[in-house]
Amino acid sequence: MASQKILIVEDEIKIARFLELELNHEGYLVEQVNDGREGLKKALEGEFDLIVLDIMLPKMNGMEVLRRLRQSSEVPVIMLTARDETMDKVMGLDMGANDYVTKPFAIEELLARIRAALKRKSTQNIKPNVLQLGNLKLDLDRHALMYNNEPVELTKREFDLLRYFMENKNIVITREKALQAVWGYDYMGDTNVVDVYIRYLRSKIDDRYNIKLLHTVRGVGYILKDEK
């Protein structure tokens, strides 16, 4: 436990310092920041095992910090809220918070929730359900695509087609196979629909980032290769 690292994002200096001292006493390594923007920067740059995140923060509120953090990280987050409002809790949990504590809180309760969150993380041996090709990451659980940690918006059909190619990277895929896998065996439309969606993916990935991932194999189909 001594090596576990926790980030505290709390604008009330006395509370932040109190939490830092208590967590240090418990054997955790602790860093603290006092505004949302700096908290997000620290969270994305550092290797933290858990984040204690206040909701009411200057420069960027805790909900926005959490939303942006969840675009590229699944680090456990415990939210601190000064208001015992159900909507705050529901919103935080829906956006990816692992737990919440309402102020004022007993330090023993927060410590117990931290231990529980860290235990869940270790017992689950968290391994994100992610397909990766170079800088391209397809998060299957969150149905999200990122390139160099920048989110790329995809429709469901685009996502499903890209997933199929990433699951079969470096293998030539015929239009017929792509149709069966993504559109289904009972699809009665034209196979050209695959070409259309390949163009959509190229415009959002290859063209946007000036890379070459989706290659045409003339007379056969397509292949997804590592960027060169």
Side-chain angles (χ1 to χ4, degrees), residues 59-226:
K59 298 186 179 178
M60 184 184 297
N61 68 57
M63 291 296 186
E64 180 63 13
V65 172
L66 179 63
R67 186 188 72 79
R68 298 192 187 190
L69 180 64
R70 282 293 178 254
Q71 292 177 355
S72 59
S73 172
E74 290 301 317
V75 61
V77 174
I78 296 179
M79 304 289 289
L80 298 181
T81 172
R83 296 173 296 178
D84 189 14
E85 293 185 5
T86 300
M87 283 310 298
D88 281 347
K89 298 171 183 177
V90 170
M91 185 182 300
L93 293 172
D94 282 348
M95 292 176 68
N98 299 80
D99 206 346
Y100 60 85
V101 174
T102 303
K103 296 179 183 178
F105 54 83
I107 187 61
E108 293 81 6
E109 178 188 2
L110 179 59
L111 291 173
R113 291 178 183 271
I114 288 173
R115 287 192 296 269
L118 290 171
K119 184 178 180 181
R120 284 194 297 270
K121 178 186 176 185
S122 61
T123 55
Q124 290 170 354
N125 189 22
I126 293 177
K127 185 177 181 181
N129 192 12
V130 172
L131 297 175
Q132 184 163 357
L133 185 74
N135 293 319
L136 198 68
K137 294 181 181 180
L138 196 68
D139 189 321
L140 304 183
D141 292 332
R142 292 169 49 231
H143 213 268
L145 173 67
M146 287 176 292
Y147 185 84
N148 258 347
N149 291 325
E150 180 181 339
V152 180
E153 295 294 329
L154 295 181
T155 65
K156 182 181 184 306
R157 193 72 76 185
E158 291 166 352
F159 183 94
D160 292 343
L161 183 60
L162 181 60
R163 173 178 179 171
Y164 181 63
F165 273 94
M166 291 186 73
E167 289 173 338
N168 296 277
K169 62 184 178 182
N170 299 317
I171 298 174
V172 177
I173 303 296
T174 65
R175 293 171 178 80
E176 290 74 18
K177 283 185 178 179
L179 275 175
Q180 291 175 2
V182 178
W183 278 265
Y185 285 94
D186 57 350
Y187 179 76
M188 301 298 291
D190 197 317
T191 58
N192 285 342
V193 70
V194 176
D195 302 326
V196 172
Y197 276 83
I198 289 292
R199 286 200 298 272
Y200 292 160
L201 289 175
R202 281 174 170 165
S203 69
K204 292 185 176 183
I205 303 170
D206 295 41
D207 297 345
R208 179 176 177 182
Y209 298 105
N210 194 29
I211 56 177
K212 186 66 176 175
L213 294 178
L214 284 161
H215 299 259
T216 301
V217 180
R218 194 173 299 278
V220 182
Y222 299 95
I223 183 171
L224 183 69
K225 294 182 180 179
D226 290 313

